Amino acid sequence: AMLGHEVFIRDSGEQPGGMMRYGIPAYRLPRDVLDAEIQRILDLGVTLECSSTVKDIREAITEGPFDAAFLAVGAHLAKRAYIPAGEASHVLDAISLLRGMEGEERPFLGRHVVVYGGGDTAMDAARTAKRLGASDAIVVYRRDRDRMPAHESEVQEALEEGVVMKWLSTVKLAGPQSLLIEKMELDETGFPQPTGEVEEIPADSLVLALGQEADLSLLDGVPGLEVQDGVVQVAENMMTGHEGIFAGGDMVPAERTVTVGLGHGKQAARNIDAWLHGQEVPRAPKHELAAFDKLN
């Protein structure tokens, strides 16, 4: 918008922000801050349409009509795993839990909550369970702490809030009020192997935090696009294999953080502007390392 383009955002959510609103808890990303940042963008003259799902990107570009498109589909779909469960078992995924925190009614988890997974989302789910009143929030992860993908600071903060970690463990069976947990051990390659040693722990709810992926159905039939391992391949200028369609954030190969997503947006905007003018973006020099006096 600051480069003089007319910009439209279509967002399938009822409120803007995507995974920042629906995938990151408010205690980590305060909603008043998020709303203020979004409003700054809209004040530049950007048009926002919420509850507006793009089902076919080429059709949306033609209908616009638009000269270019930037896709930033978040990883809203939870990966599932087969866990034998009784009929009365309360099993849900972490993304549904976190999304439910934005609604009028808070999710009901009960007093004993088990989270299955070892990433940052698992930590978010366990800490959210605590905030919902759970007396026990236990994270079950099949490898050890050193191999846990969650950032060390997230693990430490969860421990400080009373979350219990069960490393080298896997969920074998989900019952209506308890779980059967099997102890694991790592083989010489670091892969967890079952030991046959099991224990039963109380659980009113089981929250699955086993990873996420982006819904790429809006790209069906688009020629030139290359999708590998659930993410869209992009060139250095953030353009996909289809001319004029750019992509960033969770749906391209990169770390799935707010920082990376924002960086992709800025990078793509410069490259879209250059592409529309038939130019290339000059490589920006790296910033100097920030010394202590520059830290806020």
Side-chain angles (χ1 to χ4, degrees), residues 2-259:
M2 291 192 290
L3 289 167
H5 300 286
E6 195 177 0
V7 184
F8 294 82
I9 299 173
R10 287 184 62 180
D11 192 329
S12 61
E14 290 181 13
Q15 298 181 73
M19 289 300 287
M20 290 186 291
R21 185 180 303 279
Y22 294 109
I24 298 177
Y27 66 83
R28 280 181 56 196
L29 183 56
R31 298 306 183 243
D32 56 341
V33 174
L34 178 61
D35 291 339
E37 292 286 329
I38 291 170
Q39 193 56 51
R40 285 175 57 197
I41 295 166
L42 299 182
D43 288 345
L44 295 171
V46 171
T47 301
L48 169 68
E49 287 180 27
C50 283
S51 301
S52 176
T53 303
V54 176
K55 294 183 177 173
D56 183 321
I57 184 59
R58 287 187 298 172
E59 195 176 279
I61 291 171
T62 304
E63 283 177 359
F66 298 111
D67 300 307
F70 176 64
L71 308 178
V73 179
H76 288 273
L77 301 181
K79 290 182 180 176
R80 304 292 294 200
Y82 175 68
I83 295 171
E87 285 182 18
S89 304
H90 187 209
V91 182
L92 70 161
D93 63 77
I95 294 300
S96 298
L97 166 62
L98 297 174
R99 189 182 293 125
M101 296 297 289
E102 293 300 307
E104 294 291 321
E105 290 186 27
R106 294 288 182 258
F108 178 74
L109 298 177
R111 289 179 54 239
H112 306 288
V113 180
V114 172
V115 178
Y116 190 28
D120 288 334
T121 302
M123 301 304 115
D124 286 342
R127 295 172 70 185
T128 297
K130 274 288 190 184
R131 284 162 173 76
L132 286 169
S135 54
D136 303 322
I138 300 173
V139 172
V140 172
Y141 179 59
R142 59 199 194 115
R143 291 185 170 89
D144 57 18
R145 182 169 182 170
D146 292 339
R147 291 170 174 82
M148 206 173 205
H151 288 90
E152 181 59 31
S153 60
E154 298 287 335
V155 178
Q156 192 55 45
E157 286 175 20
L159 290 169
E160 287 168 9
E161 290 179 7
V163 173
V164 173
M165 304 290 172
K166 269 194 170 297
W167 287 292
L168 290 169
S169 301
T170 188
V171 178
K172 197 161 181 64
L173 180 70
Q177 292 175 312
S178 66
L179 293 177
L180 203 60
I181 303 293
E182 183 171 9
K183 192 170 174 54
M184 310 291 276
E185 60 183 17
L186 301 179
D187 61 20
E188 60 277 1
T189 66
F191 194 80
Q193 300 289 350
T195 63
E197 188 182 326
V198 295
E199 68 168 315
E200 191 173 358
I201 60 173
D204 298 310
S205 299
L206 171 61
V207 181
L208 304 179
L210 303 171
Q212 297 133 240
E213 51 198 5
D215 181 358
L216 303 180
S217 58
L218 80 166
L219 302 176
D220 288 350
V222 177
L225 283 185
E226 186 185 349
V227 178
Q228 284 181 17
D229 299 324
V231 287
V232 178
Q233 305 302 303
V234 289
E236 200 175 341
N237 68 348
M238 309 295 293
M239 188 154 67
T240 67
H242 188 90
E243 196 82 353
I245 297 180
F246 297 74
D250 292 354
M251 65 182 292
V252 304
E255 190 179 342
R256 289 175 168 174
T257 64
V258 174
T259 310

